[in-house]
Amino acid sequence: MENKRNLGTICIQGGYTPKKGEARVLPIYQSTTFKYDTSEQMGKLFDLEDTGYFYTRLQNPTNDAVAAKIAELEGGVGAMLTSSGQAANFYAIFNICEQGGHVVASAPIYGGTFNLFNVTLRKLGLDFTFVDPDASEEELAKAFKPNTKAVFAETVSNPSLVVLDIEKFARLAHSHGVPLVIDNTFATPINCRPFEWGADIVTHSTTKYMDGHAMAVGGCIVDSGNFDWEANKEKFPGLTEPDDSYHGIVYTEKFGKLAYITKATVQLMRDLGSIQSPQNAFLTNVGLETLHLRMKRHCENAQKVAEYLENNDKVAWVNYSGLKSNKYHELAKKYMPNGTCGVISFGLKGGRDESIRFMDNLKLAAIVTHVADSRTSVLHPASHTHRQLTEEQLIEAGVQPDLIRFSVGIEDAEDIIADIEQALNA
Ligand SMILES: *Cc1c(COP(=O)(O)O)cnc(C)c1O
């Protein structure tokens, strides 16, 4: 894989290079199956003795092209698309952590991921310790157990917008012999490439900025190829010991740097089947072609909106790391010098009820569950995405009850600000 091209070029050209007479645009391979001439050829594919397409649940050329583009954007060795961001985070963890395993996870993360970990994966026998990402390394080290298999966090957390000290988390994970898994949905590889700071696995909800047009739910897992599973053999038997479902192959021996992502594809995807449809992969790819342009505009607009809000006396507080007053301003400058994302959070004087009244008066900004869309969108997490959480869990997840999540789109900033102004004054 080429890693030398610049990000804008990869957005446009990555993953698919047509040969003479082939379609200029990535085709949608709307086919469940692929043809072979002999029974033996097909048999070799099932034994992983040969590579090739045979069934879309395992691999599809449209999906693979999009996965390759995202892998190149992140600087990884391989990637796999999933049906959603939820599936991506589930597979990313379950690929290396089974019943009896433990994960150290940052507490301020997406509500869906928090529920996945804290409720559903606990039912499968996985254990989690949620930590304050701003705590000292000594404090964070206390969360590790002998059965810890991974550390999980978000680059910029949804919706609390905590900026992660990635190097600190990578150091902690590696000194305990486990990989750092980063959900890079909000920053996107345009603004942050976590592998360059020591992360080992990156996940995405491609539903957000990558699609960018609110058309296709999807997810992705990217493998840096950097984590040495063999060096921590006893922790990762799924990768370093024979897989009975493939006549005893050992992923690290057979696939080297691609061990993790190959296992996720040929074992987890084969058995659990949360594939992205080729149609959705095609739409995701159209979104990716303008990701570098859109992220720049999202960040510019968000900065203007954040500055407007900070100077408005009806606003109680604003959280956006682009503001000099922000707690995470320095970390954001280090890890994301070109901006973090287009999402801002803020609260109004008058609290929760006033926040809801304000949202109902917005005209250009729409109340939708979605975030990171080209259209400005707004949500009240305590009433919507995080509604299942108790008041205590809300605070732990960094979600104040009056928090408004404002996802600044790529319309003209003046119009977005005018809409906010009329809703504040209504
Ligand atoms: C939305 C989101 C997810 C879940 O993704 P879906 O595509 O909705 O399943 C995971 N992580 C983050 C940070 C998200 O914003």
Side-chain angles (χ1 to χ4, degrees), residues 83-87 89 110 113 154 156-158 183 185-186 204-208 217-219 371 405:
S83 56
S84 66
Q86 286 299 109
N89 283 329
Y110 175 64
T113 310
E154 296 175 0
V156 180
S157 66
N158 177 7
D183 181 332
T185 297
F186 267 24
H204 282 282
S205 166
T206 61
T207 317
K208 311 295 166 52
V217 173
V371 67
R405 185 179 75 183

Coordinates of all heavy atoms in Angstrom, one line a residue, residues 83-87 89 110 113 154 156-158 183 185-186 204-208 217-219 371 405, ligand 1:
S83 N -21.1 -3.1 9.2 CA -22.4 -2.5 8.9 C -22.7 -1.2 9.6 O -23.5 -0.4 9.2 CB -23.5 -3.5 9.3 OG -23.3 -3.8 10.6
S84 N -22.0 -0.9 10.7 CA -22.2 0.3 11.5 C -21.0 0.5 12.3 O -20.1 -0.4 12.5 CB -23.4 0.1 12.4 OG -23.2 -0.9 13.3
G85 N -20.9 1.7 12.9 CA -19.8 2.0 13.9 C -19.9 1.1 15.1 O -18.9 0.7 15.7
Q86 N -21.2 0.7 15.5 CA -21.4 -0.2 16.7 C -20.7 -1.5 16.4 O -20.0 -2.1 17.2 CB -22.9 -0.4 16.9 CG -23.6 0.8 17.6 CD -23.0 1.1 18.9 OE1 -22.3 2.1 19.1 NE2 -23.2 0.3 19.9
A87 N -20.9 -2.0 15.2 CA -20.3 -3.3 14.8 C -18.8 -3.2 14.8 O -18.1 -4.1 15.2 CB -20.9 -3.8 13.4
N89 N -16.8 -1.3 16.6 CA -16.3 -1.3 18.0 C -16.5 -2.7 18.7 O -15.6 -3.1 19.4 CB -16.9 -0.2 18.8 CG -16.3 1.2 18.5 OD1 -15.1 1.2 18.1 ND2 -17.0 2.2 18.6
Y110 N -18.9 7.7 23.3 CA -20.2 7.7 22.7 C -21.2 6.8 23.5 O -20.8 5.7 24.0 CB -20.1 7.1 21.3 CG -21.4 6.9 20.5 CD1 -22.2 8.0 20.2 CD2 -21.8 5.7 20.1 CE1 -23.4 7.8 19.5 CE2 -22.9 5.5 19.4 CZ -23.7 6.6 19.1 OH -24.9 6.4 18.4
T113 N -21.6 3.1 22.5 CA -20.4 2.3 22.8 C -20.4 2.0 24.3 O -20.1 0.9 24.7 CB -19.1 3.1 22.4 OG1 -19.2 3.5 21.1 CG2 -17.9 2.1 22.6
E154 N -11.7 7.5 22.6 CA -12.1 8.2 21.4 C -11.1 9.4 21.3 O -10.8 10.1 22.3 CB -13.5 8.7 21.5 CG -14.5 7.6 21.4 CD -16.0 8.0 21.6 OE1 -16.3 9.2 21.8 OE2 -16.8 7.1 21.6
V156 N -11.6 12.4 19.9 CA -12.4 13.5 20.4 C -13.8 12.9 20.8 O -14.4 12.3 19.9 CB -12.7 14.6 19.3 CG1 -13.5 15.7 19.9 CG2 -11.3 15.1 18.8
S157 N -14.1 12.9 22.1 CA -15.3 12.1 22.5 C -16.6 12.7 22.1 O -16.8 14.0 22.1 CB -15.2 11.9 24.0 OG -15.4 13.1 24.7
N158 N -17.5 11.9 21.8 CA -18.9 12.2 21.4 C -19.8 12.0 22.6 O -19.9 10.8 23.0 CB -19.3 11.4 20.2 CG -20.8 11.6 19.8 OD1 -21.4 12.5 20.3 ND2 -21.3 10.8 18.9
D183 N -11.3 5.1 18.7 CA -12.4 5.4 17.8 C -12.1 6.8 17.3 O -12.2 7.8 18.1 CB -13.7 5.4 18.6 CG -14.9 5.7 17.8 OD1 -14.8 6.4 16.8 OD2 -16.0 5.2 18.1
T185 N -13.7 8.6 15.0 CA -14.8 9.0 14.2 C -14.9 10.6 14.0 O -15.1 11.1 12.9 CB -16.1 8.6 14.8 OG1 -16.2 7.1 14.8 CG2 -17.4 9.1 14.1
F186 N -14.8 11.3 15.2 CA -15.0 12.7 15.1 C -13.8 13.5 14.4 O -14.0 14.4 13.7 CB -15.2 13.3 16.5 CG -16.7 13.4 16.9 CD1 -17.6 12.6 16.3 CD2 -17.1 14.3 17.9 CE1 -19.0 12.7 16.6 CE2 -18.4 14.4 18.2 CZ -19.4 13.6 17.6
H204 N -14.0 3.4 13.2 CA -14.8 4.5 12.7 C -16.2 4.2 12.6 O -16.6 3.1 12.2 CB -14.4 5.0 11.3 CG -13.1 5.7 11.2 ND1 -13.0 7.1 11.5 CD2 -11.8 5.4 10.9 CE1 -11.8 7.5 11.4 NE2 -11.0 6.5 11.1
S205 N -17.1 5.2 12.9 CA -18.4 5.1 12.4 C -18.4 6.0 11.1 O -18.3 7.2 11.2 CB -19.4 5.8 13.4 OG -20.6 6.1 12.8
T206 N -18.4 5.3 10.0 CA -18.3 6.0 8.7 C -19.6 6.8 8.4 O -19.6 7.6 7.5 CB -18.0 5.0 7.5 OG1 -19.1 4.1 7.4 CG2 -16.7 4.3 7.7
T207 N -20.6 6.4 9.2 CA -21.9 7.1 9.2 C -21.7 8.6 9.3 O -22.6 9.4 8.9 CB -22.8 6.6 10.4 OG1 -22.6 5.2 10.5 CG2 -24.2 7.0 10.2
K208 N -20.7 9.0 10.0 CA -20.5 10.5 10.4 C -19.8 11.2 9.3 O -20.3 11.2 8.1 CB -19.8 10.6 11.7 CG -20.4 9.6 12.8 CD -21.8 10.0 13.2 CE -22.5 8.9 14.0 NZ -21.9 8.4 15.2
V217 N -25.4 4.2 6.9 CA -24.8 3.8 8.2 C -23.7 2.8 7.8 O -23.8 1.9 7.0 CB -25.9 3.1 9.0 CG1 -25.2 2.5 10.3 CG2 -26.9 4.1 9.4
G218 N -22.5 3.0 8.5 CA -21.4 2.1 8.3 C -20.3 2.2 9.3 O -20.3 3.2 10.1
G219 N -19.4 1.3 9.3 CA -18.3 1.4 10.2 C -17.0 0.8 9.6 O -17.1 0.2 8.4
V371 N -25.1 13.3 13.7 CA -24.1 14.3 14.0 C -23.1 14.2 12.9 O -23.0 13.2 12.2 CB -23.5 13.9 15.4 CG1 -22.7 12.6 15.4 CG2 -22.6 15.0 15.9
R405 N -25.7 19.4 22.0 CA -24.7 19.0 21.0 C -25.0 19.7 19.7 O -26.1 19.4 19.1 CB -24.6 17.5 20.9 CG -23.5 17.0 19.9 CD -23.5 15.6 19.8 NE -24.5 15.1 18.9 CZ -24.7 13.8 18.7 NH1 -24.0 12.8 19.3 NH2 -25.7 13.4 17.9
Ligands
LIG1 C1 -22.0 7.3 16.0 C2 -20.9 6.8 16.7 C3 -20.6 5.4 16.9 C4 -21.7 4.4 16.4 O1 -21.7 4.4 15.0 P1 -23.0 3.9 14.2 O2 -22.6 4.0 12.8 O3 -24.1 4.8 14.5 O4 -23.3 2.5 14.6 C5 -19.5 5.0 17.5 N1 -18.6 5.9 17.9 C6 -18.7 7.2 17.8 C7 -17.7 8.2 18.2 C8 -19.9 7.7 17.1 O5 -20.1 9.1 17.0

